[in-house]
Amino acid sequence: MEVNREAILDRTHYGLNIYSHVLRKYYPGETVLSLAGRGCDPAKNPFNDSKTTLWIRIIDGCACHIDTERAIENGDAFDFAALHFKAKGQELYELLNKELHLRIGEHHPFYDYNKGKLQTEAKLEPPKLQIPVFSYFKKPITNTKPTGHKSLLEVYEMIKGNRYQSITEKLRSIEDKKEARKYKAFHFDYVTFSGTFSSRSDKNLKAHSGLMVIDFDHLENTVELKERLLNDQYFETELLFVSPSGDGLKWIIPIDLSEGDHQYWFLAIANYLRQAYQVELDESGKDVSRACFLPHDADVVINPKYLGK
């Protein structure tokens, strides 16, 4: 596939992700765009002394902008990106393809529709089911030596049972955020879903599990997102549960390491979720040794294949 305007718009939610990417360069850690219908609420304009004068709307399949004080000319996502990157035309397209990890012109696991179709049509006999295994650590978080290994099914049963119920309820009753973080760090066991380790550090990875955990934090509606993730057209949910705090989700999904390493997949997934769900992932999630606390969630979901269904 050629790196061109149409291909970029197709993978950046009509160009809205281009605006988000540029704005985050100037306002890291802030919510730079808030969707409102087919447009966004007024945003800061870095090219107008950071005044909230930037209006962005989707017009004829492309995100466009105006500045209410006319500090910059009206234009579209590519014009806005050109103000930052000081590039135009094909040079700008190539920069955006690289900066936003769009993978246009490469094999891409999310946009290669034919691959999944051909595999389905081939009706090959499925391989023998292997349950992923990873390292398990006893509390507190300062303990970096694994207690042993746990399988995905074992962790599912631990989360669903009452093993962590009392501490989960206690954590959610703590109103002070600092105290809540401290309590979680010292009272919850955790796992490294992406693999087994001699100690919790990327350099001490023994074997990758083929899994990646995606964190969704500070959600207004966990039920709605949970339903969307379970019906995602590209990823088969392996495990999905509410985070210890109660306002987030932990989504464990499979990745194919023959297509790219752990960091490649994280960047590709981050871009996919930005486009499909308009959410941003914490960059720390790219660490293969990322720790995941184990809470209680009676409604935790595991892929039915592990239950013999």
Side-chain angles (χ1 to χ4, degrees), residues 140-157:
I141 190 63
T142 52
N143 171 34
T144 60
K145 295 294 183 182
T147 303
H149 300 157
K150 294 290 182 184
S151 71
L152 197 69
L153 184 57
E154 288 176 304
V155 166
Y156 163 76
E157 293 170 344

Side-chain angles (χ1 to χ4, degrees), residues 11 30 46 60 63 73 80 85 104 107 120 132 173 179 212 232 243 247 249 260 266 270 290 293 297 302:
R11 297 193 183 182
E30 297 184 25
D60 295 330
E73 293 184 6
F80 192 77
F85 290 108
I104 299 170
H107 167 70
T120 301
S173 70
E179 287 300 315
M212 178 172 284
D232 186 88
S243 63
D247 65 349
L249 290 173
F266 179 83
R290 183 171 180 79
F293 292 110
D297 181 3
I302 191 172

Side-chain angles (χ1 to χ4, degrees), residues 32-50:
V32 293
L33 286 183
S34 296
L35 290 177
R38 289 188 63 79
C40 303
D41 292 334
K44 291 181 180 179
N45 188 349
F47 309 110
N48 189 22
D49 297 324
S50 293

Side-chain angles (χ1 to χ4, degrees), residues 198-227:
S198 55
S199 65
R200 185 168 58 84
S201 171
D202 283 11
K203 65 182 181 181
N204 292 320
L205 174 68
K206 295 172 66 177
H208 201 290
S209 66
L211 300 176
M212 178 172 284
V213 57
I214 303 298
D215 286 317
F216 298 94
D217 298 319
H218 312 303
L219 301 173
E220 293 183 3
N221 191 331
T222 58
V223 175
E224 179 182 345
L225 181 58
K226 181 177 181 179
E227 185 67 23

